[in-house]
């Protein structure tokens, strides 16, 4: 009999979104006449921009000719895309090199797979509430996790506790689920903490394109010293609506060098390169053609128009909650609005209440950690009409 990875027994029984699907399906089954509005799962709804579509088509056409045909590409991504990403960072005032960029099929895979590079006995620091991938992938590897509380008191932006040591720190800013975003001084303190502790920050910037406050950093590498202590994950899922198309990228600075127990020098950039070339065969040429178009002036303008549309939805949701005197967070530099459940309700009770009485689906905060027990997340990724209707229904509720 094979010995199984029994760490899987330590995972929570049901994944958040399957439980939501289950409850929504059983509701619609018994109420087939009711129109349910889904503002739960963080998936985009608008079509890809025409510039991106035309480049995806070009990618397909290339495969039709013997001369232009593409087989296996570089595991790290085509040079044209890695250079486009370097330029994008440069426009935001951040200098990175093309061989520090690794193109992938998305940030979920990379934030999960990065655990391959680290030994089991690291102390992992994860904010609560959080994107469940960070927690579950570390549980699968049997690692020790310590949590840091993100609460209304700290505006859901926890700061380092210098009396507690960690080796690996997860930060997601702008944050899923809370919508909170760190400013430069706050991130600088995290970088300082990481350098003092000889730790690594795993920084998820999947929502950087939602930042409207120009003073906020879009990359951890906007902070001095971060190239010595951070890996950054980003994705075209939210930037460009690639949730189904699949493309992301991870920046692993060449300055990330550590000394092994036998004295050998180990480079995280070289390790990630080795990990990817061993276990991953790259993103399709077609998708990379579309991804490169995202970073063209025309493509980016089209992506920004979509983001603007979602931001208007966020404003509508926030305004509706404010009118009901509900305390909310996020929604300005983030597509997510995170709010206290009315009447001190628990988040799953509020989920059922909202589904049964307003036919609006959101995400219970409990699914993101214990500090989410009394919170609820709505997303701005729906269409305008549904967002307006959902808020009208909520307005009439109580
Ligand atoms: C949506 C999201 C991502 C993107 O994941 P992909 O696999 O690239 O689609 C990454 N991190 C967080 C926190 C997210 O919410």
């Amino acid at each position: 009999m094979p010995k199984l990875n029994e760490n899987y027994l330590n995972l929570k029984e049901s994944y958040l979104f399957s439980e939501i699907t289950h409850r929504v399906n059983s509701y619609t089954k018994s109420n087939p006449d009711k129109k349910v509005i889904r503002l739960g799962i963080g998936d985009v709804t608008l079509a890809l921009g025409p510039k991106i579509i035309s480049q995806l088509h070009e990618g397909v056409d290339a495969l039709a000719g013997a001369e232009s045909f593409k087989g296996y590409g570089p595991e790290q991504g085509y040079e044209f895309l890695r250079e486009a990403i370097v330029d994008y960072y440069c426009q935001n005032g951040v200098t990175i090199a093309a061989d520090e960029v690794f193109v992938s099929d998305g940030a979920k895979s990379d934030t999960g797979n990065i655990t391959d590079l680290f030994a089991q006995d690291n102390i992992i620091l994860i904010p609560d509430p959080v994107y469940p991938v960070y927690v579950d992938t570390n549980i699968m590897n049997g690692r020790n996790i310590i949590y840091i509380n993100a609460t209304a008191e700290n505006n859901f932006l926890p700061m380092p506790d210098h009396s507690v040591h960690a080796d690996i720190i997860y930060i997601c800013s702008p944050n899923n689920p809370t919508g909170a975003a760190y400013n430069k001084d706050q991130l600088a303190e995290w970088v300082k903490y990481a350098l003092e502790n000889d730790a690594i920050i795993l920084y998820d910037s999947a929502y950087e394109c939602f930042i409207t406050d120009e003073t906020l950093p879009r990359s951890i590498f906007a902070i001095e010293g971060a190239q010595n202590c951070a890996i950054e994950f980003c994705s075209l899922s939210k930037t460009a609506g690639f949730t189904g198309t699949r493309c992301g990228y991870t920046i692993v600075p060449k300055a990330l060098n550590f000394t092994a127990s036998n004295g050998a020098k180990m480079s995280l950039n070289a390790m990630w390169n080795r990990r990817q070339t061993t276990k991953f065969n790259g993103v399709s040429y077609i998708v990379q053609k579309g991804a490169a178009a995202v970073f063209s002036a025309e493509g980016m303008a089209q992506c920004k128009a979509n983001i603007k549309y979602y931001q208007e939805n966020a404003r509508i949701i926030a305004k509706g909650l404010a009118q009901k005197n509900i305390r909310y967070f996020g929604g300005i530099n983030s597509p997510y609005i995170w709010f206290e459940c009315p009447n001190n309700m628990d988040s799953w009770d509020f989920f059922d209440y909202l589904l049964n009485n307003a036919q609006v689906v959101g995400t219970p905060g409990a699914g993101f950690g214990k500090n989410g027990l009394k919170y609820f997340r709505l997303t701005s990724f729906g269409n305008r009409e549904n967002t307006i209707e959902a808020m009208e229904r909520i307005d009439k509720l109580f």
Side-chain angles (χ1 to χ4, degrees), residues 83-323:
E83 289 293 351
I85 293 166
V86 168
D87 284 348
Y88 179 64
Y89 272 73
C90 190
Q91 286 161 30
N92 288 326
V94 173
T95 305
I96 53 168
D99 58 1
E100 295 175 317
V101 179
F102 294 85
V103 174
S104 74
D105 65 340
K108 190 196 228 182
S109 324
D110 284 5
T111 52
N113 292 334
I114 201 77
T115 56
D116 279 10
L117 306 193
F118 301 103
Q120 195 172 341
D121 56 352
N122 280 291
I123 298 170
I124 315 290
L125 183 66
I126 303 184
D128 174 317
V130 80
Y131 182 53
V133 177
Y134 317 148
V135 173
D136 287 351
T137 54
N138 279 291
I139 290 177
M140 286 172 178
N141 288 320
R143 291 209 180 84
N144 287 322
I145 300 173
I146 52 177
Y147 293 95
I148 182 165
N149 293 318
T151 61
E153 286 65 47
N154 58 28
N155 286 312
F156 292 96
L157 294 170
M159 296 306 296
D161 176 349
H162 291 272
S163 67
V164 177
H165 170 80
D167 301 300
I168 296 172
I169 303 145
Y170 284 84
I171 297 178
C172 175
S173 179
N175 190 266
N176 177 12
T178 69
Y182 283 108
N183 66 30
K184 281 196 176 151
D185 290 344
Q186 291 166 325
L187 269 193
E189 198 171 325
W190 275 110
V191 167
K192 183 165 170 266
Y193 170 85
L195 293 171
E196 281 168 6
N197 282 274
D198 226 354
I200 282 277
I201 295 173
L202 301 178
Y203 190 80
D204 187 339
S205 66
Y207 296 95
E208 58 84 13
C209 60
F210 278 84
I211 290 176
T212 51
D213 176 348
E214 289 302 326
T215 68
L216 298 181
R218 291 165 170 273
S219 162
I220 184 112
F221 301 122
I223 309 300
E224 208 184 316
Q227 70 281 1
N228 295 310
C229 65
I231 292 173
E232 178 159 294
F233 305 90
C234 200
S235 168
L236 298 187
S237 285
K238 317 300 166 19
T239 305
F242 269 45
T243 51
T245 311
R246 310 301 310 142
C247 193
Y249 51 92
T250 292
I251 315 295
V252 189
K254 283 176 289 187
L256 292 176
N257 298 303
F258 294 86
T259 307
S261 48
N262 71 355
K265 293 278 175 232
M266 295 185 85
S267 147
L268 279 174
N269 179 284
M271 286 172 75
W272 184 245
N273 190 53
R274 184 61 195 264
R275 190 266 170 216
Q276 290 298 80
T277 53
T278 303
K279 294 195 184 181
F280 182 63
N281 249 337
V283 176
S284 85
Y285 175 72
I286 303 166
V287 168
Q288 292 191 63
K289 282 288 282 182
V294 169
F295 298 102
S296 68
E298 200 183 344
M300 189 51 75
Q302 291 164 1
C303 292
K304 286 196 170 147
N306 284 1
I307 288 165
K308 232 184 163 130
Y309 177 94
Y310 296 133
Q311 283 168 333
E312 175 61 12
N313 287 347
R315 199 193 59 77
I316 291 164
I317 295 170
K319 186 165 159 237
L321 294 174
Q323 276 168 359

